Amino acid sequence: MSDERLFRLYKLHQVDEKLLAIKARAEHLDVGKRELALAKKLATDNADLLAEAKATKQKLAELTLKEDQANEKLEKFQKQLYDGSITSSREIAHLQDEIEMLEMLVVTTDDERKALAASSKESSAAAAEIEEKISKLKEQAVKKRSHAEKEHAELQELFKQTGATRASKESEVDKELITAYNNARKRTGNTGLALITAKQDCGSCGIDIPEKVREVVRDGKTTPCQSCGRVLFIHAPGELD
């Protein structure tokens, strides 16, 4: 049986290890940074192509709108020409001129739109493929972030529940041991206790622990590792479960 003083400290150490593990998990959640970085790189590497495709798309939209507006006017004027609402020969002649101009505008605009679409077909297809990849990467990033936020909330609750048991564990440990343990935690930045392994070395830093030191630890004396400064602890097989 290990010394009871050190065993109580080990129980506190277990709580601190769990808290550190939860914190580490929370700090390393996958929030989709890799996907966003890839999306940004794709956009940067293909900026000219994407800009050209955007300008072409806008120009095609403008030509389509221009053609639609011309056809709308053409339909309106043709209706006026044949519905009997205009009887003046001068007005009829003027309306016929307008219709002729609109018909030419529709043809030239349609030709321009088709020519632009044909000339930009290859580059537009390439840009569309890149945009689809970027969109999928961003969608993946959103899903990962959403999952990470959910997991982070769960970890926060687990951290709270685990931390709630710490005070009672600490109250069971001798003040002298707590002082040594907390000092070691400050020095290491994480754990303040280290198990002596079956290979007779420090479970944290790996340095060999001499037999004389192991005997002192078995006697329950507060003994820091000469390398990492953690309080050493040795246990009997099966007693830590």
Side-chain angles (χ1 to χ4, degrees), residues 2 5 13 39-40 42 89 98 101 103 113 115 117 127 131 135 137 141 148 178 180 188 200 211 226 231-232 237:
S2 301
R5 290 171 65 253
H13 164 75
K40 184 177 181 180
L42 268 176
S89 57
E98 287 288 338
M101 288 177 60
E103 287 175 338
R113 180 179 57 79
E131 287 174 342
S135 178
L137 285 168
I178 284 293
T188 63
Q200 315 307 331
E211 175 59 28
Q226 293 302 305
V231 178
L232 292 171

Side-chain angles (χ1 to χ4, degrees), residues 66-215:
K66 185 178 180 181
E67 185 178 349
D68 288 344
Q69 289 174 338
N71 274 317
E72 187 178 340
K73 284 184 179 180
L74 185 60
E75 184 180 353
K76 177 184 177 182
F77 289 166
Q78 285 175 335
K79 183 179 180 181
Q80 288 177 337
L81 184 64
Y82 298 109
D83 67 2
S85 60
I86 297 177
T87 57
S88 168
S89 57
R90 178 182 292 182
E91 289 180 341
I92 291 174
H94 177 71
L95 199 56
Q96 288 174 330
D97 289 341
E98 287 288 338
I99 289 173
E100 185 178 347
M101 288 177 60
L102 285 169
E103 287 175 338
M104 289 194 60
L105 178 62
V106 168
V107 171
T108 55
T109 303
D110 186 54
D111 288 344
E112 184 180 356
R113 180 179 57 79
K114 289 178 179 177
L116 179 60
S119 65
S120 63
K121 184 177 181 180
E122 188 174 334
S123 60
S124 294
E129 185 177 348
I130 293 167
E131 287 174 342
E132 184 178 1
K133 288 180 180 179
I134 292 172
S135 178
K136 285 182 178 179
L137 285 168
K138 288 182 176 180
E139 286 177 7
Q140 290 172 9
V142 169
K143 287 180 180 178
K144 284 190 172 183
R145 185 170 188 84
S146 177
H147 179 75
E149 288 175 349
K150 181 180 178 182
E151 188 174 355
H152 189 270
E154 293 171 353
L155 289 172
Q156 278 185 316
E157 181 60 27
L158 181 59
F159 189 90
K160 181 180 178 181
Q161 292 174 1
T162 304
T165 67
R166 192 182 188 282
S168 62
K169 297 292 183 185
E170 184 173 354
S171 66
E172 297 172 359
V173 183
D174 295 350
K175 289 184 179 180
E176 175 260 338
L177 265 178
I178 284 293
T179 299
Y181 174 73
N182 286 335
N183 286 339
R185 288 175 68 204
K186 289 178 182 178
R187 285 194 300 270
T188 63
N190 48 48
T191 58
L193 180 143
L195 291 173
I196 298 176
T197 71
K199 295 181 179 180
Q200 315 307 331
D201 58 20
C202 173
S204 291
C205 68
I207 191 174
D208 290 336
I209 306 297
E211 175 59 28
K212 288 184 178 180
V213 175
R214 298 200 300 272
E215 286 299 326

